[in-house]
Amino acid sequence: MTLPLPLPVVPQPSLPIAGSADRFPIRRIYCVGRNYVDHIREMKEGDERDPPFFFQKPSDAIVEDGGVVAYPADTEDFQFEIELVVALGAGGRDLTKAQALDAVFGYAVGLDLTRRDQQRDMRAKMLPWERGKAFDASAPCGAIVPVSAIGHPAKGSITLDVDGAPRQSGDIAHMIWNVPEIIANLSASYALAPGDLIMTGTPAGVGPVRPGETMHGRVEGVGTITITVAPCEA
Ligand code: MN
């Protein structure tokens, strides 16, 4: 059998821009691993002064604020990670730390949803992390708040509650690699471009979320995100 042409047009993933009718078209989603000392310690991995490392999620894994995500297949340990998200409005290679912030369009609050059992299994086998990190609906992200509205937040609380119970708490000032350092480091490996999102790592307190529970995350000075895991089907 031959499928008829033309094939369906693939939708361009995008996010709302706070205070605007325009949307932010998403090109790539980069994520920083291990960027808060207290989270490295709870995961019992790595040297706290290792250079930053990066992985990616597919851009169609985005879920907007207020969304419902299905409990994913292939895991018995579905976990939340609250993160500050950087949204690039410009790009380039080999950006210096001094140039880096000029590429930032805005910021958002995101969740690096993780199949922790798969991540640990892949790590133990020295295999890529995709099964643990880069699955469907693994990248919820709130509206992009422009730099023109909030500047470049460098400190402020970052928290996540599950059904009202506090689970994660930190301060973005405690990131091991700050936003200019992350962008400079990433741009040494990849040509960055408008539409790129960077999830900047999570503080301590990560843990499992179950069907029917609601995650509410907040980054002071940026915004909030609320995502519910769909109840089990009866
Ligand atoms: Mn993360």
Side-chain angles (χ1 to χ4, degrees):
M1 160 185 163
T2 302
L3 290 169
L5 295 172
L7 295 172
V9 173
V10 177
Q12 165 69 57
S14 67
L15 282 167
I17 296 172
S20 171
D22 289 325
R23 292 181 67 87
F24 183 89
I26 300 164
R27 192 183 80 115
R28 294 183 184 173
I29 305 173
Y30 295 100
C31 304
V32 184
R34 300 178 197 139
N35 203 26
Y36 290 79
V37 168
D38 53 358
H39 177 59
I40 292 174
R41 289 176 181 163
E42 76 177 350
M43 294 290 288
K44 297 183 172 55
E45 63 181 15
D47 186 293
E48 292 163 13
R49 289 175 302 279
D50 280 347
F53 78 95
F54 303 96
F55 58 92
Q56 291 186 46
K57 290 174 181 271
S59 58
D60 68 350
I62 283 285
V63 179
E64 290 189 31
D65 182 26
V68 176
V69 300
Y71 196 95
D74 210 19
T75 187
E76 295 176 0
D77 193 9
F78 183 38
Q79 295 204 356
F80 49 79
E81 297 187 359
I82 182 73
E83 312 211 354
L84 172 69
V85 180
V86 180
L88 299 188
R93 288 290 313 270
D94 297 321
L95 301 178
T96 66
K97 285 183 280 182
Q99 296 168 324
L101 291 184
D102 289 340
V104 178
F105 171 79
Y107 295 88
V109 182
L111 296 174
D112 169 12
L113 295 179
T114 300
R115 295 192 282 213
R116 190 73 69 200
D117 44 0
Q118 296 288 357
Q119 181 198 9
R120 290 187 189 281
D121 191 41
M122 295 295 108
R123 194 178 72 192
K125 293 173 179 167
M126 301 183 74
L127 290 169
W129 280 16
E130 267 81 358
R131 271 171 61 187
K133 288 289 194 180
F135 53 95
D136 298 344
S138 61
C141 189
I144 308 295
V145 189
V147 168
S148 58
I150 58 168
H152 295 282
K155 59 181 168 56
S157 66
I158 177 169
T159 59
L160 183 131
D161 297 353
V162 177
D163 285 350
R167 301 296 297 273
Q168 288 191 267
S169 180
D171 193 298
I172 59 172
H174 296 159
M175 290 197 292
I176 297 168
W177 302 94
N178 65 25
V179 171
E181 290 168 334
I182 290 167
I183 292 171
N185 205 292
L186 191 57
S187 75
S189 293
Y190 302 92
L192 301 179
D196 288 345
L197 298 179
I198 307 170
M199 291 188 156
T200 58
T202 198
V206 299
V209 66
R210 295 176 187 81
E213 291 184 331
T214 295
M215 299 167 277
H216 180 72
R218 176 175 176 270
V219 177
E220 184 180 2
V222 179
T224 64
I225 187 168
T226 303
I227 295 289
T228 297
V229 183
C232 276
E233 289 173 28

